[in-house]
Amino acid sequence: DAGITQSPRYKITETGRQVTLMCHQTWSHSYMFWYRQDLGHGLRLIYYSAAADITDKGEVPDGYVVSRSKTENFPLTLESATRSQTSVYFCASTGQDPEETQYFGPGTRLLVL
Amino acid sequence: QKEVEQDPGPLSVPEGAIVSLNCTYSNSAFQYFMWYRQYSRKGPELLMYTYSSGNKEDGRFTAQVDKSSKYISLFIRDSQPSDSATYLCAMKRGSQGNLIFGKGTKLSVKP
């Protein structure tokens, strides 16, 4: 199916563990993004990527690592999870057309105990 | 001052009411303005997209941008219970810029 998918949809982990959230899009969009959404803060950009092997920091990158070896995949890794990283994580993508905007995945709910 | 300000609500209206949602912003370089709708436990979905100033209408929805006042609005006519959701404004500077989001306004339309 065309679109943008995220996995897992729900994840419970413990402080200090490494967690990887997956994002996959089938549109061959150039740009991909990771956001976190928290009450009182709205959507905040963690990292983004303009193309394969090109990534850059967003507003709240600390504690996160990304990679983009293939255009369609953009995994987000929490190297050592902390309770403050409990959040809902959204992946998004967009193409090169300036009229296009971002399309969001369904989100991953992460709880760090 | 935050780049984008949006009243989080919640906003509760009766079915059939006209709803007005607003955002203000501080950066005059913003050129692209969007409204996203987010249902509970779902990802945001694009509702309206406007470039520069002016109005755009799509069915019951009208988006307005007033760049001189740094103010954008979304109007919903004949609101329905299915419009109950959180509405996020978003904007960006250039065609390839990153989106800056408001915190979202939670709307509830009562039957």
Side-chain angles (χ1 to χ4, degrees), chain A residues 9-10 31 33 35 37 40-43 45 48 90 95-106 109, chain B residues 2 32 34 36 38 40-46 49 51 86 88 92 95-99 101-104:
Chain A
R9 295 293 314 278
Y10 303 90
Y31 288 84
F33 307 83
Y35 294 89
Q37 188 174 38
H41 290 281
L43 279 163
L45 183 64
Y48 66 100
F90 289 101
Q96 293 280 2
D97 186 340
E99 292 294 311
E100 272 197 277
T101 189
Q102 293 180 20
Y103 299 91
F104 284 79
R109 290 183 171 269
Chain B
K2 289 269 186 185
Y32 297 82
M34 297 113 200
Y36 282 81
Q38 185 177 20
S40 181
R41 296 183 172 268
K42 301 286 187 183
E45 56 179 346
L46 180 66
Y49 177 100
Y51 172 70
T86 296
L88 301 107
K92 62 180 178 177
S95 60
Q96 302 301 334
N98 293 326
L99 284 176
F101 284 87
K103 292 182 181 180

Side-chain angles (χ1 to χ4, degrees), chain A residues 99, chain B residues 30-35 46-57 62-66 72-74 90-92:
Chain A
E99 292 294 311
Chain B
F30 287 136
Q31 298 182 68
Y32 297 82
F33 304 91
M34 297 113 200
W35 285 95
L46 180 66
L47 193 60
M48 298 287 285
Y49 177 100
T50 309
Y51 172 70
S52 194
S53 283
N55 294 358
K56 188 171 185 178
E57 189 173 321
T62 299
Q64 286 186 351
V65 175
D66 182 349
I72 69 170
S73 302
L74 177 71
M91 48 200 78
K92 62 180 178 177

Side-chain angles (χ1 to χ4, degrees), chain B residues 11-24:
Chain B
L11 181 63
S12 183
V13 301
E15 183 175 354
I18 296 174
V19 176
S20 173
L21 304 168
N22 311 293
C23 287
T24 59

